[in-house]
Amino acid sequence: MNHKEQLKLENQLCFSVYACSREITKMYRPYLDQLGLTYPQYLVLLVLWEHHETTVKALGAELYLDSGTLTPLLKRMEEAGLVKRERSKEDERRVMVHLTQKGEELRDKASIIPDAMAANSGLSKEEFKKALTGFQQLLDHIHSVNEK
Amino acid sequence: MNHKEQLKLENQLCFSVYACSREITKMYRPYLDQLGLTYPQYLVLLVLWEHHETTVKALGAELYLDSGTLTPLLKRMEEAGLVKRERSKEDERRVMVHLTQKGEELRDKASIIPDAMAANSGLSKEEFKKALTGFQQLLDHIHSVNEK
DNA sequence: GTTATTTAAGTTGTGCACAATTTAATTTTA
DNA sequence: TAAAATTAAATTGTGCACAACTTAAATAAC
């Protein structure tokens, strides 16, 4: 492939990933609207439903986000009554984030989302699994390249 | 997979795509910084390097973006001297966007980017091609689902 | 033990994304 | 052809993302 071909939009892996990501988020919107959540807020809840309590730092490591994004996002979630933020007593640099009752309860309502999304994606169970693995590998690789 | 498993972050295709997209953008940054471009601005140039002139509407259809995103973005690109925006004479609802000399010339500097990115992705030519096709199909499918 | 370094969050400023609305031009329909 | 509907951009407002910087606490080095 020559330079001219390479610069075509249709040959950019980056673009198809970028557009796909936004279209997937759009697909979630009607479901998340019902729960009063944005997509990144939903991701934070996915982490907290697993761990119940975590720090801003750990949350950032899981979601690949920094405090510049998370701090205001978590403040909004706190205002919405979904999480509670408090400075750690042991290490006052850290801020512990944990679920409230309300945040915990959203889990049941959210539990139907993965099936709905998988169905909407049009992928079979095998294709889904394969795509997931492929992405996670690509993500790992690029993340390690970016670290350097 | 039960509901508990399904809600784990590691099992979300959406998250791996979302995180991947942002990591890919990060990978482009050092290259785009040299050209004084953001990633969405680079995408606009990819389209214009192919077509030379287009409308906001057509640009939005190619990039899956609306005027709310494109109008301010194009204004910034116009201020930077990369593009020119002018109302169509035939249909005054439309705004034509075309490259300036400066915008045209950036193409040469950008031509090394695709090879660099492909190398950084760690994918072989075949894997790259396969991933690209897979994504475009997923994108098409989800986009059509969202349209409804 | 004091100074230097590192670490964790928060803050500030810029640029997307996108929903919802507005404005103005064009097309359709009655 | 006048009114209604549609279309294309722009505008407004909210919420991410993220770079760069600040603040404060903990750890390391001396």
Side-chain angles (χ1 to χ4, degrees):
Chain A
M1 215 193 301
N2 62 24
H3 277 169
K4 189 167 177 177
E5 277 293 307
Q6 282 185 328
L7 279 179
K8 283 189 178 174
L9 186 68
E10 64 182 11
N11 291 321
Q12 308 302 314
L13 183 58
C14 64
F15 171 67
S16 61
V17 176
Y18 158 81
C20 225
S21 174
R22 286 164 37 232
E23 288 297 317
I24 290 176
T25 303
K26 248 175 240 177
M27 194 168 79
Y28 273 82
R29 207 174 316 276
Y31 296 85
L32 296 180
D33 279 350
Q34 288 189 296
L35 308 185
L37 295 173
T38 64
Y39 179 70
Q41 289 171 10
Y42 173 67
L43 294 180
V44 167
L45 287 182
L46 287 179
V47 173
L48 287 173
W49 286 329
E50 266 189 80
H51 303 314
H52 194 78
E53 183 168 67
T54 182
T55 63
V56 174
K57 177 77 179 171
L59 208 47
E62 286 227 59
L63 301 178
Y64 298 81
L65 292 170
D66 67 9
S67 67
T69 300
L70 288 173
T71 297
L73 188 155
L74 291 169
K75 281 183 181 175
R76 283 188 286 271
M77 290 182 78
E78 188 168 35
E79 268 185 69
L82 299 170
V83 303
K84 187 91 185 136
R85 300 153 63 241
E86 27 196 13
R87 287 270 163 195
S88 164
K89 288 281 184 295
E90 299 89 61
D91 184 343
E92 297 217 354
R93 289 172 305 182
R94 286 192 271 186
V95 165
M96 309 305 296
V97 183
H98 62 82
L99 286 169
T100 60
Q101 185 71 25
K102 186 177 171 188
E104 192 76 72
E105 283 168 4
L106 268 191
R107 185 185 192 152
D108 286 342
K109 287 190 193 167
S111 64
I112 56 131
I113 296 180
D115 278 335
M117 293 303 110
N120 281 348
S121 75
L123 298 173
S124 70
K125 220 166 245 173
E126 293 74 35
E127 290 171 321
F128 188 93
K129 184 90 186 165
K130 218 168 167 184
L132 180 60
T133 309
F135 265 126
Q136 286 169 342
Q137 283 172 4
L138 185 58
L139 176 57
D140 274 0
H141 180 78
I142 297 178
H143 185 63
S144 73
V145 168
N146 285 341
E147 289 292 84
K148 287 187 288 196
Chain B
M1 215 192 303
N2 60 25
H3 277 169
K4 188 167 178 177
E5 276 295 305
Q6 283 185 327
L7 279 177
K8 283 188 178 175
L9 185 67
E10 64 182 11
N11 291 323
Q12 307 303 314
L13 183 58
C14 65
F15 172 68
S16 61
V17 176
Y18 158 81
C20 226
S21 174
R22 288 163 38 229
E23 288 297 318
I24 290 175
T25 303
K26 250 176 236 175
M27 195 168 78
Y28 274 83
R29 207 174 316 274
Y31 296 85
L32 296 180
D33 279 350
Q34 288 189 299
L35 308 184
L37 295 173
T38 64
Y39 179 69
Q41 289 171 9
Y42 172 67
L43 294 180
V44 167
L45 288 182
L46 287 180
V47 173
L48 287 172
W49 287 329
E50 266 188 80
H51 303 314
H52 195 78
E53 183 169 65
T54 183
T55 62
V56 173
K57 178 78 178 172
L59 207 48
E62 286 229 58
L63 301 178
Y64 298 80
L65 292 170
D66 66 10
S67 68
T69 300
L70 287 173
T71 296
L73 188 155
L74 291 169
K75 281 183 180 173
R76 283 186 287 271
M77 291 182 77
E78 188 168 37
E79 268 186 68
L82 299 171
V83 303
K84 188 92 184 133
R85 299 154 63 240
E86 28 197 11
R87 287 270 162 196
S88 163
K89 288 280 185 294
E90 299 89 61
D91 184 342
E92 297 216 357
R93 289 172 305 183
R94 285 193 273 187
V95 166
M96 309 303 298
V97 182
H98 63 82
L99 285 170
T100 61
Q101 186 71 25
K102 186 176 172 189
E104 194 73 74
E105 283 168 3
L106 267 192
R107 185 185 192 151
D108 287 340
K109 287 190 192 165
S111 64
I112 55 129
I113 295 180
D115 278 336
M117 291 304 110
N120 281 349
S121 75
L123 298 174
S124 70
K125 218 167 248 171
E126 293 74 35
E127 290 172 322
F128 188 93
K129 184 90 185 164
K130 218 168 168 184
L132 180 59
T133 309
F135 265 126
Q136 286 169 343
Q137 283 172 1
L138 185 58
L139 176 56
D140 274 359
H141 179 79
I142 296 179
H143 184 63
S144 73
V145 168
N146 285 341
E147 289 294 82
K148 288 185 284 193

